[in-house]
């Protein structure tokens, strides 16, 4: 499964305070571990929301809102895309991540929809049928 | 709460067990004993962690526990075996001298993992045993999971693993990274195992299960790890590139009923652009080494030609033909020739392709290969030789073991039905 791992923004990240050298190094080492374990597919840090835009939809109307946006903890400061075997594995990896900011911060893990989450080919009935066939075949061998 | 911890332990185990087993094998010189010790550590974790919580550095905890078990084990066997006693004392001494086990291990971990990869795919083992051992030791899969993935009863897999470990011990296979002229052959055996696992997941050879994404993901993950462990081997990057690009199509490869969709009928908007980019980057890494491309890099180049084409019509078939020409030099096989024939047909017309396919008809290794009549049928159909095409599709349908593929081929038989017309001017 894949998950997107989002680092929540803080006042510091929103005001453009750059992380200290030690943190950058620690984060670099963590990223290296992720790559070595075949976990990291992609990852980026984001500029403060003062550089961002929002497009608001209201029916057919669209209006553009300039950053910065309030409520830092609802914004994200960076993200990874990971390939892991379970949500628990993602949690274990996040626990090994250096604290992305000084003091309080938060990282959120969200699972990405996979092909098998969609479409009629993976209805529960079909899954069950496959399961039965597998068992049958296992018995025949 | 207890089940949460158990799931966390399971996740930690999958993450840590390859490094654990690799590190222990270096110390105890026996892969079976190393796995037993690692399992002992897991059992200890299952006892302790639900109460104490998962420790901050679970990998180091497991390693320290396993090492203590190793020392106990050797002490217990002291009277039986002098050599074991020495090993035990050695180990205890090392432990005293190096208080920070984790950092002492860190430097060697990469090498140990690489050694574990090579020993799991050692040529003294059968391919089946290599695959099972790789998934078990490096993938951290249970025997039950491996059995399910390969549609084989669990005891068969368990036996395969036990026998493999015994063979490695009996033949005294060293725990090492091969050097010099040995390396090439040994590496190709490792890459072969990974690609086999990938293909088993990508296109099931038997049964109704068209895709088994877990095996593909596992092969890709192991490939990416290997690329980090052996970054100067172009074919490792070549194989990773090939797998990334092939995996990029997985969303587009099956229709709503799970029926296979062929490359040209796939909705290219469903191709995973991130995986394509990763594949192209891996291919660049392979090319950077400057060596003549190997079989995997060439296949990746071919896959990349498809990945770069936004529509089937944009496919650069002439370029693909040149890559197949190279591939048939580097790794000649009737299957490569068959693929080359398809590319030639696309670049220079079905008649040119058919000529090549016809030259393969007597090939013994393709006698029961369903893609030979399937390709031949396709070319005959393009040449409006419908009666012959129908017979070929029927033959292909009778040869494939994949039920969904069979359905597709039987549909093609129908398509050739009562139709008869003037021959295609091409």
């Amino acid at each position: 499964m894949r998950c997107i791992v989002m680092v929540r923004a803080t006042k510091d990240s929103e005001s453009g305070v750059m992380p200290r050298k030690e943190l950058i190094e620690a984060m670099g080492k963590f990223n290296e571990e992720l790559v070595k374990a075949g976990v990291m597919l992609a990852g980026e840090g984001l500029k403060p929301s003062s550089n961002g835009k929002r497009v608001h939809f209201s029916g057919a109307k669209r209006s553009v809102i300039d950053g910065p946006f309030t409520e830092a903890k609802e914004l994200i400061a960076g993200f990874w895309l990971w390939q892991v075997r379970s949500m628990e594995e993602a949690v274990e990896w996040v626990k090994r991540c250096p604290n992305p900011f000084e003091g309080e911060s938060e990282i959120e893990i969200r699972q990405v929809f996979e092909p098998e989450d969609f479409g009629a080919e993976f209805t529960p009935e079909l899954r069950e049928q496959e399961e039965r066939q597998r068992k049958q075949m296992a018995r025949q061998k | 709460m207890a089940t949460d911890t158990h799931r966390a332990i399971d996740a930690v185990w999958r993450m840590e067990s390859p490094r654990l087993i690799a590190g222990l094998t270096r110390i105890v010189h026996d892969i079976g004993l190393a796995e037993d010790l690692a399992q002992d550590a897991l059992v200890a974790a299952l006892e302790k962690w639900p109460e104490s919580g998962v420790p901050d550095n679970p990998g180091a905890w497991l390693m320290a526990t396993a090492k203590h078990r190793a020392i106990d084990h050797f002490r217990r066997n002291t009277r039986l075996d002098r050599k074991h006693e020495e090993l035990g004392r050695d180990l205890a001494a090392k432990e005293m001298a190096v208080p920070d086990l984790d950092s002492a291990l860190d430097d060697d971990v990469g090498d140990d993992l690489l050694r574990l990869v090579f020993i799991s795919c050692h040529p003294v083992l059968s391919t089946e045993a290599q695959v099972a051992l790789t998934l078990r030791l490096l993938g951290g899969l249970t025997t039950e999971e491996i059995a399910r993935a390969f549609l084989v009863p669990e005891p068969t897999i368990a036996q395969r693993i036990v026998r493999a470990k015994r063979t490695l011990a009996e033949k005294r296979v060293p725990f090492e990274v091969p050097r010099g002229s040995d390396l090439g052959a040994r590496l190709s055996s490792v890459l072969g195992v990974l690609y086999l696992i990938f293909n088993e997941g990508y296109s099931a050879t038997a049964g109704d299960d068209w895709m088994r994404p877990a095996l593909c993901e596992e092969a890709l993950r192991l490939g990416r790890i290997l690329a980090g462990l052996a970054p100067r081997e172009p074919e490792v990057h070549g194989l990773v590139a090939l797998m990334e690009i092939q995996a990029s199509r997985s969303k587009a490869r099956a229709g709503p009923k799970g029926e296979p969709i062929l490359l040209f009928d796939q909705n290219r908007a469903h191709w995973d652009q991130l995986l394509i980019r990763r594949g192209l980057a891996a291919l660049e890494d392979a090319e950077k080494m400057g060596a003549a491309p190997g079989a995997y890099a060439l296949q990746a180049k071919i896959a990349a030609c498809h990945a770069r084409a936004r529509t089937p019509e944009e496919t650069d078939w002439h370029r693909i033909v040149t890559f197949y020409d190279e591939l048939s030099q580097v790794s000649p096989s009737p299957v490569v020739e068959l693929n080359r024939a398809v590319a030639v047909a696309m670049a220079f017309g079905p008649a040119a392709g058919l000529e090549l396919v016809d030259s393969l008809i007597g090939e013994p290794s393709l006698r029961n290969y369903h893609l030979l009549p399937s390709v031949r049928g396709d070319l005959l159909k393009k040449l409006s030789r419908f009666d012959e095409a129908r017979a070929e599709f029927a033959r292909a349908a009778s040869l494939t073991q994949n039920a969904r593929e069979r359905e597709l081929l039987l549909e093609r038989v129908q398509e050739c039905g009562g139709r008869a017309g003037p021959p295609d001017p091409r």
Side-chain angles (χ1 to χ4, degrees), chain B residues 150-161:
Chain B
F150 287 90
L151 299 166
V152 171
E154 197 184 331
T156 310
I157 296 290
Q159 263 175 17
R160 231 175 249 176
I161 291 171

Side-chain angles (χ1 to χ4, degrees), chain B residues 402-417:
Chain B
N402 184 300
R404 281 169 187 160
E405 207 162 7
R406 181 158 48 240
E407 266 172 45
L408 193 82
L409 286 162
L410 289 173
E411 264 172 43
R412 308 211 69 189
V413 170
Q414 294 280 308
E415 283 167 22
C416 297

Side-chain angles (χ1 to χ4, degrees), chain A residues 55-84:
Chain A
V55 179
H56 182 79
F57 288 71
S58 172
K61 240 183 82 189
R62 285 119 170 103
S63 46
V64 178
I65 306 157
D66 291 331
F69 308 113
T70 49
E71 285 302 317
K73 66 176 197 295
E74 283 171 18
L75 300 169
I76 64 170
F79 68 91
W80 288 280
L81 187 64
W82 288 355
Q83 178 84 53
V84 287

Side-chain angles (χ1 to χ4, degrees), chain B residues 118-174:
Chain B
F118 275 111
I119 206 168
S120 299
C121 301
H122 198 280
V124 298
L125 305 173
S126 69
T127 308
E128 285 175 335
Q130 292 171 344
V131 167
L133 208 57
T134 300
L135 286 173
R136 171 65 182 255
L137 298 182
L138 291 148
L141 268 68
T142 62
T143 42
E144 195 213 333
E145 287 167 326
I146 302 169
R148 279 184 47 168
F150 287 90
L151 299 166
V152 171
E154 197 184 331
T156 310
I157 296 290
Q159 263 175 17
R160 231 175 249 176
I161 291 171
V162 169
R163 261 192 242 127
K165 287 191 285 200
R166 199 188 304 147
T167 305
L168 292 174
E170 280 168 6
K171 307 246 165 161
R172 296 177 182 278
V173 173

